[in-house]
Amino acid sequence: MNCHDEANEDDYHSHEHGHGHGHGHSHDGHDHSHDEEADTGQADSLFDKVLVDQAWCLNESEPESIKLVFKPWHRRLDTTQLVSSDSDAELLVYVPFNGMVKLKSIFLWGGVGDEAPQSVRVFANRDDLDFDNVGEVQPTQEWTLARGARAPVEYPVRSAKFSSVRSLTLHLPRSFADEETMELYFLSFRGEWLPLTADPIISIYELTPNAADHKTPASELAGHHTIS
């Protein structure tokens, strides 16, 4: 049984696979994981921390359809709601959070067909990317994705690079078949969340007063000569 046969509806959790499988590895040396715990997708879930109304996607065939892929874990196998590409097999997805996130992993699933994304390039805290410049920017981390997966696959991140995340941008540059259509059914995140706090008020105390800034009636007369 290969790793994709293991990832069925009753066994959706992940198991680690090395590069010998030829798929689903991270370019940074991190394999996608298949945790043995059935609730791994719910542990440390950031589902309710995503600002879904502010998320957007470039090249989606139906406007606002990216919002449909942020699903609760019990609906992770739902294929009735998805985002698909429009003019070619490429998507650019922006995901903001409602606090500060220390990201642990990303769950992503494009279905069992070859319309699924073949790779993903992830950028932390970049809200200035589009198709004109995203190819020129070094991603924070990137992965080759599991082909033919029957359920969402978890891709652990390099924690040091995702320790203070306000937003993520995901570039999905091609599908497995390089066809004209790409499909994405599920996108979720795990990590630690902290609420945003107001900027601290910084008080600056003047250690050595400047006489020019502290004028008195006497100092106003200094340098002036009165002839009576």
Side-chain angles (χ1 to χ4, degrees):
M1 178 182 295
N2 61 34
C3 67
H4 305 310
D5 291 329
E6 294 172 5
N8 54 39
E9 182 168 357
D10 297 321
D11 185 11
Y12 53 80
H13 38 274
S14 306
H15 303 267
E16 285 196 5
H17 292 270
H19 290 195
H21 288 273
H23 61 265
H25 62 274
S26 161
H27 291 200
D28 290 298
H30 291 274
D31 301 327
H32 67 265
S33 70
H34 291 242
D35 202 316
E36 292 183 358
E37 296 183 7
D39 63 348
T40 192
Q42 300 181 76
D44 300 320
S45 172
L46 297 173
F47 169 71
D48 60 348
K49 309 304 181 185
V50 174
L51 293 172
V52 176
D53 289 342
Q54 298 179 30
W56 50 257
C57 178
L58 298 183
N59 197 38
E60 56 185 350
S61 59
E62 295 292 334
E64 307 292 313
S65 58
I66 187 59
K67 296 174 172 52
L68 302 176
V69 305
F70 301 106
K71 302 169 184 173
W73 185 247
H74 69 274
R75 291 184 52 220
R76 64 196 178 280
L77 301 179
D78 176 11
T79 57
T80 63
Q81 294 185 320
L82 71 156
V83 60
S84 59
S85 63
D86 186 15
S87 59
D88 53 23
E90 184 177 18
L91 294 172
L92 187 67
V93 182
Y94 175 74
V95 184
F97 296 98
N98 64 1
M100 190 69 69
V101 166
K102 182 177 182 180
L103 192 67
K104 294 181 178 180
S105 62
I106 299 172
F107 282 90
L108 191 148
W109 187 47
V112 299
D114 284 345
E115 296 81 8
Q118 186 268 341
S119 62
V120 61
R121 307 168 69 235
V122 180
F123 305 82
N125 302 322
R126 293 293 301 259
D127 60 0
D128 59 339
L129 299 178
D130 55 30
F131 287 133
D132 291 332
N133 62 10
V134 68
E136 303 172 358
V137 180
Q138 182 69 28
T140 310
Q141 192 171 350
E142 58 184 324
W143 293 263
T144 297
L145 303 178
R147 188 172 192 170
R150 299 186 181 186
V153 177
E154 181 179 19
Y155 299 91
V157 306
R158 300 183 67 177
S159 299
K161 293 188 174 184
F162 294 89
S163 60
S164 301
V165 176
R166 288 290 311 279
S167 67
L168 293 172
T169 301
L170 291 81
H171 180 214
L172 307 164
R174 65 186 64 84
S175 66
F176 279 101
D178 272 337
E179 297 178 354
E180 292 299 313
T181 301
M182 176 184 290
E183 295 180 347
L184 182 64
Y185 295 104
F186 184 82
L187 183 59
S188 185
F189 310 92
R190 290 180 61 221
E192 301 174 14
W193 177 88
L194 289 174
L196 294 176
T197 58
D199 294 334
I201 299 175
I202 301 175
S203 299
I204 301 176
Y205 296 93
E206 186 177 9
L207 299 180
T208 305
N210 186 339
D213 296 331
H214 300 272
K215 294 183 179 180
T216 65
S219 64
E220 290 288 342
L221 295 176
H224 294 271
H225 301 279
T226 301
I227 300 175
S228 56

